[in-house]
Amino acid sequence: MDYIKIAKVNAVQLEKGRVTYIGTLHLTAHHMIFFHPEQEIWISYPTIHTVEKGLPTVHNAWPLHIRCHNFVYVALNFQTEQNVTDVYESIQKLTCIGSVEQLYAFFYTPSPPFTTTDGWQIYDPLIEYERMGVGSKNDQWRFSDINQSFSFSPTYPHSIVVPTRISDTVLAYAAKHRSKARIPALSYLHWNNMASITRSSQPMVGLKQNRSIQDEKLIEAIFMTNVPQSSTGPVYGSTATNLIIDARPTANAVANTAVGAGTENMENYRNCKKVYSGIENIHVMRDSLNKLVEALQEIDSGNHVSKSTLQKSGWLKHIAAVMEGALMIVRNIHVCNSHVLVHCSDGWDRTAQLTSVAQICLDPYYRTLRGFQVLIEKEWCSFGYKFMDRCGHLSNDKNFVALSATNSAANTFANVQNKFSSNKHIRETSPVFHQFLDCVFQTMSQHPDRFEFNEHFLTQLHYHVYSCQFGNFLFNCEKDRMQYLASTKCSSIWDFINSNKDEYLNKDYMASIDQLRGGDGGVLFPDSKAIKYWAKLFGRTDDELNGLDDNMSPSNPLNERMTPEMLGLGSNLSDSTTSTDGEYTPETNMDADPLGINGTTVVRPRSGSRSNNSRTGINNVTQVEGEDTWQRSADNIASKIPSALSGAFGGGLVDSFNRLTMNVRDTWYASSTPSASSTDEPFADMRASSASPQHRAATVGRSNSRRRQTVDRELRSIANPIASHSASSSPKHSLASLTLEQEMNPSYPYLGNGDRDPLSGGGFKPISAKSPNGSPLAGSGSGSGSSRPSSARQGVTSPSSLGKSPPRSASPDQTTALPSSSQATPTPTPTPAPVPVHVELEPEVKKEPVKELPHPLFVE
């Protein structure tokens, strides 16, 4: 041919993956063939996605990088610039053709001939819809010949199935309200309950909110096809969940009203509701696949695919969206006995995905080898999926890039032009059919014994969608297929498949499960969250794409140090928390502390008290016995974690961890202390068994200058509690005061000398409020951090409360008095009420507003 400038090139180096071959390159009219004694690679020109002629390498080799639609990546290195230029220009002319009749399918002749020859007759709409029940089990549907000459809707099949009660005249008027005249037509009739799946395009609503009475009557008739009838009329209620599923995101559907289209106004449609499936458009899907391909080509230092880059592509998210929409249809059809109308914008991309995946789950026939072929012919070829546009069969020059070794400005211009130039051909391509096959693979992976065909059958279909070897996947609609006489001029892919049927059969297939209709009734409900990358299609192993990331791999030395045994948790957390003196039983765990330690009882909160511990299940727990058991269990876990973190990450994280646990522990003590007189001694024991002094001092002493100023203001507010609490009594301020007062308490063994301020290193001591005569005020001892007037706070004990523990605070968010450890006594002793003293306070000095400290759980 005139297009081929050079037919054979010797001594060509081919790089595929991490393997290199040196052989001979042959260029034919429809294939590029690389021959090597150990490897022979055939690349069909329509499968080529992009070709880039690179700059010469340091070894004076001229590279040619080729990427194919079936995820084959090869690099050809030539010895001379003339050879690489001739091969590049020849491939460009043989790939970028202007007519469908120049494709390989119109020249391909099978040799030897196929053993089966009924591939073009494998789908007959009359036979298939009769198998579903149209005309045999159900008389509510009929065949319409309104589109026999494709004048009614050029992209629809010549024979469509509509409700019996709707005439062709009504259909003609309803077509004006649907994009491309793609009216709601029957796609599937369920064998169990005669519920239907119908498909259409978007309504032409527009900004004026147009409506069509004929379209509304047509949809109403569809939703009444399986409603039981009585002598007085239809019995409503049996199909209460009829759905109109708009496959688009809500914003996309509403935005189309600006161009005269849009979505249904549900005020005009009876006995149904509308939901959005949220599947993105073809442009988003194309970009997602390109990002996935880039991730597959980026090999990290360990010769593994970067999992983070794969996730950024969003490919699995889009696959999950399609499967979730199909599952919605399956449940509504099989479980709710209701009808579903599906549409997107034009009704040939996302609509075909949802209806075909749903039918595979609903009908076991479509999971057989022949049934799957019928499904593709019916839902994709007959209903007008645009194979030529979406697959890019008539490729474009923009897919070819030639870098110049002498003109860098030309290289830059070529890259920019190739990337940003407006080209309709490129904008129409999208992996819609690829996503459908991917969804089938996901369902097959979860139900390996319910499909008659195997994974190799799906990969072959994906390849031949782009190879243009057969006439099934060349055209945009049934009208174009008939116009180009594809059934007589081209071979059918189904003859190719069925002639080698044994190669595509699943050895684990169990047809008896679906034939008996037992268990799940032959209906599958795949899990849309248990999806994975189709590794075989992408030319990778399953471990490469779906294995654990390097950071999660057990071979990572970081994870070896973070073992449960090092954390002191044993095989699991319950083993550690229950290996104490207390006996663990489910009964005690229901009303006990969060770790399941026996020896605690739940006390109902006082009426009117506020509790903020509902999230952790702690509601005013009074520790009658077993308090030491709690402490030993908590210390057992807390003492192991810093050492493990230190071994894995270093000391910086340990300091932050200790500071966090210290604040959490102090907050727990403040919220769980019944009274100073009854629990001073247990507090001393618990504090003595807490974190080590060096870690405690290191974390307390680390504060920036702005935080130090805030801490100093809080210390002054605690030193003068009456003024501070009159100025601010918010729960957060009270909790911060509590925590800082514990920090200042000289009786804490891990703070060292009580005369030393752990925050500043100076000799700060708490100042008690005094009366004018020099005597301390009642209730202003060193252990008090609250100014709430109560008899218990002022040292006045009522006769009814003598010998009893006063009620505890309901929540750490409320102002709570922390017991003074320096005045702790083993048992509570009633004290006489002090003589009231009239105190004249000095005029209050206006101070700067006190800035609240953050919650102890969110420390630096």
Side-chain angles (χ1 to χ4, degrees), residues 437-702:
L437 296 178
D438 205 326
C439 292
V440 177
F441 165 75
Q442 305 294 341
T443 309
M444 181 189 302
S445 300
Q446 299 179 26
H447 306 276
D449 57 348
R450 307 296 288 273
F451 289 81
E452 186 182 16
F453 49 87
N454 54 24
E455 182 182 359
H456 179 55
F457 171 68
L458 298 179
T459 57
Q460 278 287 80
L461 283 180
H462 181 272
Y463 171 76
H464 286 295
V465 164
Y466 295 97
S467 70
C468 299
Q469 184 174 348
F470 304 100
N472 303 75
F473 307 135
L474 297 184
F475 307 98
N476 287 336
C477 57
E478 187 176 295
K479 175 185 177 182
D480 293 347
R481 179 190 287 189
M482 293 184 176
Q483 178 182 347
Y484 286 96
L485 304 176
S487 59
T488 58
K489 294 183 178 181
C490 304
S491 300
S492 173
I493 189 177
W494 310 129
D495 291 334
F496 168 74
I497 295 293
N498 295 329
S499 298
N500 306 277
K501 185 175 181 180
D502 295 338
E503 184 179 348
Y504 307 105
L505 293 180
N506 179 17
K507 298 179 181 179
D508 299 328
Y509 176 57
M510 300 180 64
S512 58
I513 300 179
D514 294 326
Q515 292 174 356
L516 297 176
R517 305 284 186 178
D520 53 14
V523 178
L524 304 182
F525 295 90
D527 187 0
S528 60
K529 298 180 180 179
I531 59 178
K532 59 182 181 180
Y533 293 101
W534 191 357
K536 185 176 180 180
L537 180 66
F538 296 134
R540 300 281 180 169
T541 63
D542 194 66
D543 292 337
E544 283 182 310
L545 298 187
N546 302 304
L548 292 176
D549 199 355
D550 293 340
N551 296 330
M552 301 298 296
S553 176
S555 61
N556 189 349
L558 195 66
N559 296 323
E560 289 180 355
R561 292 194 292 267
M562 296 294 292
T563 58
E565 289 75 11
M566 281 198 78
L567 297 177
L569 304 180
S571 59
N572 51 50
L573 180 62
S574 60
D575 294 342
S576 175
T577 56
T578 57
S579 59
T580 59
D581 298 339
E583 187 72 21
Y584 174 81
T585 59
E587 290 77 7
T588 58
N589 186 44
M590 293 296 293
D591 294 327
D593 53 83
L595 290 182
I597 305 301
N598 192 14
T600 59
T601 57
V602 176
V603 180
R604 301 297 179 188
R606 303 188 305 269
S607 60
S609 65
R610 183 164 55 98
S611 174
N612 293 332
N613 294 328
S614 59
R615 293 184 178 180
T616 57
I618 306 170
N619 293 320
N620 299 329
V621 180
T622 301
Q623 297 183 0
V624 179
E625 60 181 0
E627 190 170 282
D628 294 339
T629 303
W630 167 280
Q631 183 62 28
R632 283 195 299 270
S633 176
D635 289 342
N636 180 35
I637 299 175
S639 62
K640 298 294 192 307
I641 295 179
S643 60
L645 293 177
S646 177
F649 302 104
L653 185 59
V654 176
D655 294 340
S656 300
F657 176 81
N658 285 330
R659 186 173 182 85
L660 175 63
T661 54
M662 175 269 295
N663 283 276
V664 174
R665 182 176 59 252
D666 292 344
T667 305
W668 169 262
Y669 292 157
S671 63
S672 60
T673 307
S675 64
S677 59
S678 60
T679 59
D680 283 344
E681 197 64 27
F683 264 118
D685 295 338
M686 285 189 286
R687 290 162 184 162
S689 61
S690 58
S692 59
Q694 57 271 24
H695 290 308
R696 180 75 169 110
T699 56
V700 171
R702 295 189 178 185

Side-chain angles (χ1 to χ4, degrees), residues 243-248 250 266 273-278 328:
L243 294 181
I244 297 178
I245 295 182
D246 194 329
R248 302 166 292 182
T250 307
M266 296 311 296
K273 62 180 181 179
K274 180 177 62 178
V275 294
Y276 294 92
S277 184
M328 188 190 312

Side-chain angles (χ1 to χ4, degrees), residues 89-117:
E89 293 178 356
S90 299
I91 296 176
Q92 183 179 21
K93 292 180 179 179
L94 292 170
T95 304
C96 303
I97 57 179
S99 172
V100 67
E101 294 179 315
Q102 294 179 276
L103 292 173
Y104 181 39
F106 287 88
F107 301 91
Y108 170 70
T109 301
S111 179
F114 297 136
T115 57
T116 59
T117 57

Side-chain angles (χ1 to χ4, degrees), residues 675-680 792 795-798 801-806 823-833:
S675 64
S677 59
S678 60
T679 59
D680 283 344
V796 180
T797 306
S798 61
S801 63
L802 290 178
K804 298 182 180 179
S805 298
Q823 300 177 0
T825 55
T827 56
T829 56
T831 57

Side-chain angles (χ1 to χ4, degrees), residues 703-720 724 733 740 744 757-762 764 847-851 853:
S703 299
N704 54 30
S705 59
R706 184 176 300 177
R707 179 67 182 270
R708 283 291 303 274
Q709 296 174 4
T710 307
V711 171
D712 292 341
R713 288 196 297 269
E714 289 295 332
L715 292 176
R716 289 195 299 270
S717 66
I718 295 174
N720 190 0
S724 65
H733 174 70
L740 287 172
M744 296 164 46
D757 178 15
L759 294 177
S760 60
F764 176 83
K847 298 183 179 179
E848 58 180 313
V850 179
K851 185 177 180 180
L853 282 174

Side-chain angles (χ1 to χ4, degrees), residues 235-253:
V235 178
Y236 293 97
S238 60
T239 57
T241 60
N242 295 324
L243 294 181
I244 297 178
I245 295 182
D246 194 329
R248 302 166 292 182
T250 307
N252 297 20

Side-chain angles (χ1 to χ4, degrees), residues 245-265:
I245 295 182
D246 194 329
R248 302 166 292 182
T250 307
N252 297 20
V254 175
N256 278 344
T257 58
V259 294
T263 186
E264 288 85 359
N265 184 356

